[in-house]
Each structure stands twice: as structure tokens, then as C-alpha cells.
Amino acid sequence: MERYFSMTVIASAMLVGCASTSNTSNDVANAYQSINSQQLAEHIKVLASDEFGGRAPSSKGEELTLAYLTDQFKALGFQPGNGDSFLQEVPLVSLEADSNMVLTIGGKDYQYKKDMVMGSSRISAKQSIKDSELVFVGYGVNAPEYNWNDYEGLDVEGKTVVMLVNDPGFATKNPDLFTGDAMTYYGRWTYKYEEASRQGAAGAIIIHETAPASYPWSVVENSWSGEQFGFQKENNNMDRVAVEGWVTTDVAKELFTKAGLDFDTMKENAAKGAYHVDMGDLTASVEVNNTIKKSISYNFIATLPGSEKPNEHIIYSAHWDHLGTDKTRKGDQIYNGAHDNATGTAGLIEVAEAFATLPHHPSRSMTFLAVTAEEQGLLGSKYYAANPVIPASQTVANINMDSLNLLGKVKDISVVGIGKSEMDSLLETAAKDQGRTVSGDPKPSSGGYYRSDHFAFANMGVPAMYAGGGSEALDEETANYRKRMSLVLRGCYHQPCDRYRDEWDLSGAIQDLQLFYQVGFDISEREEWPKWNTNSEFQRK
């Protein structure tokens, strides 16, 4: 594998040379080059093995994962990041809805998984809606800053709101509407259920469409069925709608026709401006019977104390969890989660080892955070943000790793949420030494900046970088490989086939991990903290 000798790393080492404890340029470059595909592959194989059972929160797979991380970071000389512990408790509750439910609308019963997936976030053994009037509320958005409110003048108490996925900008591609093709948080399913709850609705149904959702119906089937995790709350989430879920596009079209409405016309109207319309005399009924289990899951946190400013931390993050094992499934039952996100978790270990290789610790502390329950709505990182082990005032920056590049070397590096902070320029400088350029999000419509664990840090006001991969293959051979493997990876998202493959080309992942190491090292040695750009919706609090 080609190794990169970074001029920026050398420059950083020279800067460190002014400190009382210094690393030579060779020290820094050797650490950079110590990140290698063989070690990365071994970590991925372990974390994504059948023995780990898909790494579901509060499972045997969690125990094995946390033990593995603890052993690895101890061996590297890292200290516990939470006092004398490597773990932070995250109180969770799992709700598993009985799959025998039916959704009855307009005299027809719709079947679980085939037509719909329904559930309840309320910590309750039974929740239901009965003869609840249906109201189409467009995109289900109330966004004052965009002068948009689909609920304006509408009383939805006791009713069930039906809404489109994503936001109006995606539908129109109008750059002046929301943020154009780039999804905002208003397009996320989490927001839509939250807003429906704030509006007092009894139920909330999102219409699934593959393009605006950025994933097929099979992902809804697998991700929103089985155990669903949430936080243990005193109010038992009774401020949420009673029932929430998804229906397929075919079901939606059928319902709109029954209501005397044309689905495509309603979509067009919803994208033109704030919109809602009653769906005739259609009502919805469904009963959700939950099996409730309260448990404790854990975030993992380890620190390499800084040599000069140990109270200032650069935090690397990745989520260790995946979807676990579905014993009701025929055939392969284990969601190994090799790409998503054994790669990112393995990447944490590799970058941590690079820092541990240095004869002297970086000036600022390097903290590594592997969070739980990302697949359940970023729960682990949300809990950390609400209960930070390291206060935001001591957190310099965040670098997040989620689903590393398995498609070989590229000439660019994609930045999700490009333009939000000075982190981009630091990455650009580092990438230049690899002969790479910085490019934007290749799929802005998927709302990637709001879909991984860096989002919790951004909400804390901490500049957070989420980057990796790229779109321009290094050469023709890599381009041909990318075409083949990208189809496999896309088809295995949240499927049991997301398992380790010997044919993976990890050289692109190594490129990125070396950049992540370098950016963190550079941040550690510079005097100024990275800042948000003035046009970002995030700022230091």
C-alpha cells in the first residue's frame, strides 16, 4: 500500500518543536504512516463477526464490543475518559411492537412490513388510535426562519397527520427554497414525529419514497421493526404521538384516491408553499402492543492526555452499534454491520494507535468516543450532548467517522455539510499533501449532516467535521472496482449482507484515516480553536 509523507505533518512537528515536549518530523510522519489496512481489517473482522451478533445495544454483542474497545485502548496506553471508567451509562428502554398488528383505513387492513410499519415511542404496553381522522400536512414542517408552516391554522388534536419525507427544497431543487437539494433537519423523520407531537396529533404517518428518503422500503422494514430504543424518561414519552410509522408509496396513492385526491397533485401543492388538506372521511385505526425492557447501554470514552493543554480536548467519534440479530428472519439473521459501522469503530482504534505511537503526547488531549444506539436515532450521542463528560467549553473540535470508504483511493475527499466551519480549510490543507482536493457532499438530499453523531456536537456549538471518501477514482482500475462494489454496498445498507468481504479495497479508508489523524494533530498544535463560519446555523454557545 502506498504511504503518504505529509508536508503538513512535518510543519506541525516543527511547530511542536517549540514546546518543551516535542516530536520530530520523523516521529509525526511515522505515526501518520502507521495507520494501515491490515490492522484496520483485523479490527473490522472482529467487530463484525457473527460472535458479536450485530452489536445491538444492551446485548451480548455490546458486552463483547465494549470489552474489545477497552482492551485495545488500554494496550495503547489511553486513560479512562470518564473518571476512572471507560464507560458512560446511557439509560435506555426498548419497545418491541407485536408484529400481528394491522392498520385499518377506509375499510381495508394494511399488513405489517408489507404495507406499513407502525409503532409507538410511548413507554406503554399498549397504545392505539381508533377512527382517527386523516389530514395530509404536506412535509409536516413548521419552520419560521423559512416562513413555512404546514400546520398554520390547523387543529390536529386527536387526528393522524400524513406527510411526505424530506423537505420542499428536495422536491423543487430550488436553491432559494430551504437549502435546495440539500436536506435540512426539517426533512428528517425524527423531526417530523417531534413536530406532529408538538402539534398535538394522535398519530403520525410518513409516506416512504426511495429517492427523497435516500433508502428503499427494505430499510424501513428492518430498521423500524423489532426492538426500538429510546431514553428512559419520567414522563414515559407521553408527550409523543400515540402511534407513529411509515406507509409505502403504493399504499399512500391508494389512500389519496379513496379520499378523492390525486397523490401527485398533492405532492406538487405541498412543494409550492405551506399546505394541508383533510383526507375526506378516511380514518385510521391501529393497536400497538409493546414488549418493554429497560436497560443500561454504554458510550465508550478514552483519553490520551495532552502534554501542554490537557483540559482542551479534540474528540474523535464513531458509533459502535448496529441492528443486532432478528431471530424471526429466515436465513441469515445477523445484521453484522461491517461497513456501518465496524469500519468507523475500527478507524477509531487505528487513529488512536497513531497518536499513541508518538514519543510525546500532542499538546491537547485526544479523546475517543464510541457511542451507542446511533441506529435508533443518534441516542448515544444525544445523551452525551445532554450529559457531556467533557464540557463544550473544553471541547475544541469533533471529527466523526461513520461508514468508511471501501471503494479505493480517490482524488478528492467529500465533506458532508461543507462550508459550515473552518474545519474544511484544515482538511483541505491536509488533503493537498495527499494530492487530493476537497469536494462537497455527493448526496446532499440525504441530509447526511443531520444523520450521524457529529450532529450532537454541532448542537453543542462544537465545530464538527464529517468527511470521507470521494467521487473521483484514482485510476481506471479503481473506477471499475468502484462501480461493482458500490452496488454491493448500496444493496447491503441495513441488511444482513453488510458483512466483511476480503475483496474490499481499504486503501481509500486509510487515506481518510491518515487525514483525520493529521487534522486532529494540526488542531492540537495551533493556538486558535476552529470556528464556525458566519453563515452556519451552528455557533459556539
Side-chain angles (χ1 to χ4, degrees), residues 38-115:
Q38 182 178 354
Q39 292 178 170
L40 182 66
E42 290 305 312
H43 294 312
I44 297 171
K45 288 178 186 178
V46 172
L47 293 164
S49 66
D50 283 355
E51 182 186 4
F52 281 53
R55 304 186 308 281
S58 305
S59 70
K60 180 66 175 178
E62 169 167 0
E63 294 179 20
L64 293 171
T65 301
L66 296 177
Y68 186 77
L69 289 171
T70 300
D71 289 345
Q72 293 296 318
F73 278 84
K74 275 185 176 179
L76 294 174
F78 275 67
Q79 297 180 4
N82 187 18
D84 59 357
S85 176
F86 284 102
L87 306 179
Q88 178 191 35
E89 286 192 359
V90 181
L92 295 179
V93 59
S94 74
L95 303 171
E96 185 167 7
D98 189 331
S99 61
N100 291 324
M101 74 175 78
V102 294
L103 172 67
T104 303
I105 302 177
K108 181 174 179 177
D109 290 344
Y110 294 98
Q111 304 305 309
Y112 189 65
K113 287 194 175 184
K114 176 179 178 292
D115 303 314

Side-chain angles (χ1 to χ4, degrees), residues 516-531:
F516 300 155
Y517 157 81
Q518 183 176 322
V519 170
F521 187 91
D522 291 346
I523 292 172
S524 174
E525 307 313 312
R526 70 201 299 259
E527 188 65 29
E528 298 295 323
W529 290 22
K531 298 181 180 65

Side-chain angles (χ1 to χ4, degrees), residues 121-124 127 234-242:
S121 291
R122 293 183 177 181
I123 304 173
S124 169
Q127 286 292 320
E234 290 184 5
N235 69 352
N236 287 327
N237 287 332
M238 297 306 288
D239 55 346
R240 289 286 289 237
V241 294

Side-chain angles (χ1 to χ4, degrees), residues 136-190:
F136 177 60
V137 293
Y139 285 92
V141 169
N142 178 15
E145 68 273 32
Y146 293 114
N147 194 30
W148 192 288
N149 184 4
D150 289 315
Y151 290 97
E152 187 172 3
L154 182 63
D155 181 4
V156 295
E157 186 173 355
K159 299 178 182 180
T160 294
V161 295
V162 179
M163 52 201 147
L164 301 166
V165 71
N166 214 308
D167 62 40
F170 172 84
T172 63
K173 312 302 181 188
N174 179 355
D176 297 324
L177 188 62
F178 285 65
T179 54
D181 194 39
M183 183 194 289
T184 65
Y185 185 62
Y186 294 112
R188 295 281 290 133
W189 59 269
T190 47

Side-chain angles (χ1 to χ4, degrees), residues 109-388:
D109 290 344
Y110 294 98
Q111 304 305 309
Y112 189 65
K113 287 194 175 184
K114 176 179 178 292
D115 303 314
M116 59 80 183
V117 175
M118 294 288 148
S120 179
S121 291
R122 293 183 177 181
I123 304 173
S124 169
K126 180 180 294 186
Q127 286 292 320
S128 64
I129 52 175
K130 184 171 178 58
D131 299 328
S132 175
E133 296 177 31
L134 294 186
V135 182
F136 177 60
V137 293
Y139 285 92
V141 169
N142 178 15
E145 68 273 32
Y146 293 114
N147 194 30
W148 192 288
N149 184 4
D150 289 315
Y151 290 97
E152 187 172 3
L154 182 63
D155 181 4
V156 295
E157 186 173 355
K159 299 178 182 180
T160 294
V161 295
V162 179
M163 52 201 147
L164 301 166
V165 71
N166 214 308
D167 62 40
F170 172 84
T172 63
K173 312 302 181 188
N174 179 355
D176 297 324
L177 188 62
F178 285 65
T179 54
D181 194 39
M183 183 194 289
T184 65
Y185 185 62
Y186 294 112
R188 295 281 290 133
W189 59 269
T190 47
Y191 165 79
K192 294 177 187 291
Y193 294 146
E194 291 162 1
E195 186 59 37
S197 300
R198 284 189 288 267
Q199 295 289 335
I205 297 174
I206 297 174
I207 300 167
H208 174 267
E209 292 182 280
T210 297
S214 79
Y215 41 75
W217 178 254
S218 60
V219 173
V220 177
E221 285 185 84
N222 295 333
S223 300
W224 277 270
S225 60
E227 281 190 304
Q228 300 295 299
F229 287 84
F231 293 130
Q232 297 180 26
K233 294 183 177 179
E234 290 184 5
N235 69 352
N236 287 327
N237 287 332
M238 297 306 288
D239 55 346
R240 289 286 289 237
V241 294
V243 176
E244 56 197 43
W246 299 73
V247 296
T248 66
T249 306
D250 289 341
V251 169
K253 289 180 176 179
E254 185 173 280
L255 296 180
F256 276 79
T257 298
K258 286 182 178 181
L261 304 170
D262 178 72
F263 178 64
D264 292 331
T265 301
M266 294 300 101
K267 280 181 60 180
E268 291 176 4
N269 291 344
K272 292 176 182 177
Y275 188 76
H276 59 257
V277 61
D278 289 336
M279 297 185 67
D281 59 358
L282 288 185
T283 62
S285 298
V286 64
E287 183 174 279
V288 177
N289 293 296
N290 281 324
T291 299
I292 303 171
K293 297 177 185 176
K294 292 186 177 181
S295 63
I296 300 294
S297 188
Y298 295 91
N299 291 332
F300 174 90
I301 184 167
T303 294
L304 190 70
S307 59
E308 302 294 326
K309 303 173 182 177
N311 291 328
E312 299 182 12
H313 295 251
I314 293 126
I315 298 183
Y316 287 84
S317 61
H319 71 91
W320 60 256
D321 68 295
H322 199 55
L323 302 178
T325 301
D326 182 359
K327 294 183 179 179
T328 67
R329 184 184 179 95
K330 295 181 180 178
D332 190 353
Q333 299 178 328
I334 300 174
Y335 294 86
N336 299 84
H339 186 210
D340 182 16
N341 185 32
T343 59
T345 308
L348 286 182
I349 302 171
E350 275 298 285
V351 175
E353 183 173 1
F355 284 117
T357 301
L358 293 169
H360 304 285
H361 293 184
S363 294
R364 293 185 170 105
S365 293
M366 296 294 168
T367 293
F368 288 75
L369 177 68
V371 296
T372 183
E374 186 270 357
E375 303 291 7
Q376 306 293 330
L378 313 180
L379 296 183
S381 55
K382 283 181 179 177
Y383 186 85
Y384 179 88
N387 306 273

Side-chain angles (χ1 to χ4, degrees), residues 417 419-422 449-450 458 463 531-540:
K420 293 185 183 295
S421 81
E422 293 176 351
Y449 201 79
Y450 310 97
K531 298 181 180 65
W532 292 106
N533 293 334
T534 55
N535 62 344
S536 171
E537 69 267 48
F538 306 105
Q539 297 297 327
R540 280 276 180 190

